[in-house]
Amino acid sequence: MTKTVLFWRHGQTDFNVEGRFQGQSDVPLNDVGRAQAEDAARGLVDLGPELIVSSDLSRAAETADSLARLTCVEPVRDKRLREAAFGEWEGSTRAEVAATWSAELSEWAAGADIAPPGGESRSESGRRVAAAITDIVESTAAETVAIVAHGAVLRGAAEIFLGLRGTGRIGVLRNCAHGEFGYTGGAWVLRSWGAVAR
């Protein structure tokens, strides 16, 4: 049986607007993000998710709740789906990070697989979330699963599933955009990436 797995990024937060590293800090949706989530959920409901699993961070959880209300599916929270840990960079803008870690930020921005001080590398967070998604999908009978999480880790997991070498090979989903995979016993097929349901 081929399952449909939706990768849905949370709605906008004030940190998104300000260009701050959010990481695992619990930053809530702003009013625009709540409206984005409600709008996107109305489009995603037609895909018939039978299981909705989100990061336990409030921005992803609240986004998932907007879909859960329309599907009457109780959402599950899973801390393994949290965003990459950005360590000492969390809460700062790129300009603020550059004042202390200029070389490291330049390497990271160029796609290097480095960990911010006290944080995770792209490959570490990608592997963590890819393993969690695989576990979720393989342990359910649901044919359509919505994974509601964060931009960096959804991209990282997608790159792993597609066997792409290196990081930054596909774009980060914008707020409330989604990707769709087909999954058949260990084989992942990308059906779409970056759509915004309406």
Side-chain angles (χ1 to χ4, degrees):
M1 167 182 53
T2 299
K3 295 183 179 185
T4 296
V5 185
L6 305 173
F7 285 34
W8 188 24
R9 185 181 178 197
H10 64 78
Q12 185 187 86
T13 70
D14 287 343
F15 272 29
N16 290 138
V17 174
E18 296 163 4
R20 296 185 182 280
F21 285 94
Q22 295 182 107
Q24 296 189 1
S25 299
D26 199 10
V27 182
L29 296 179
N30 61 22
D31 289 341
V32 169
R34 286 184 198 92
Q36 289 173 330
E38 295 295 329
D39 288 345
R42 284 192 286 278
L44 292 174
V45 73
D46 292 337
L47 298 174
E50 301 162 78
L51 175 64
I52 302 169
V53 184
S54 79
S55 159
D56 63 340
L57 297 177
S58 62
R59 59 192 182 269
E62 189 175 352
T63 300
D65 290 348
S66 65
L67 182 57
R69 283 190 292 277
L70 297 176
T71 59
C72 298
V73 172
E74 187 68 28
V76 177
R77 308 295 188 225
D78 192 327
K79 69 180 182 179
R80 298 176 298 170
L81 298 175
R82 287 183 177 187
E83 179 61 293
F86 287 108
E88 294 183 43
W89 295 3
E90 288 189 20
S92 299
T93 65
R94 286 189 184 206
E96 292 166 344
V97 169
T100 305
W101 296 284
S102 180
E104 294 89 341
L105 179 63
S106 293
E107 284 184 63
W108 179 86
D113 190 30
I114 63 168
E120 292 176 290
S121 70
R122 286 182 166 109
S123 62
E124 289 169 335
S125 62
R127 284 191 306 268
R128 168 175 53 83
V129 172
I133 292 171
T134 300
D135 178 55
I136 291 164
V137 172
E138 289 182 345
S139 64
T140 183
E143 292 183 27
T144 302
V145 179
I147 302 292
V148 188
H150 310 272
V153 294
L154 289 174
R155 174 178 72 177
E159 290 171 342
I160 289 168
F161 293 150
L162 295 172
L164 300 177
R165 303 255 184 241
T167 59
R169 302 295 182 213
I170 59 176
V172 172
L173 294 168
R174 63 184 181 217
N175 291 119
C176 266
H178 71 278
E180 181 180 325
F181 278 87
Y183 178 76
T184 308
W188 294 88
V189 176
L190 181 62
R191 296 176 180 160
S192 68
W193 190 258
V196 177
R198 299 268 179 218

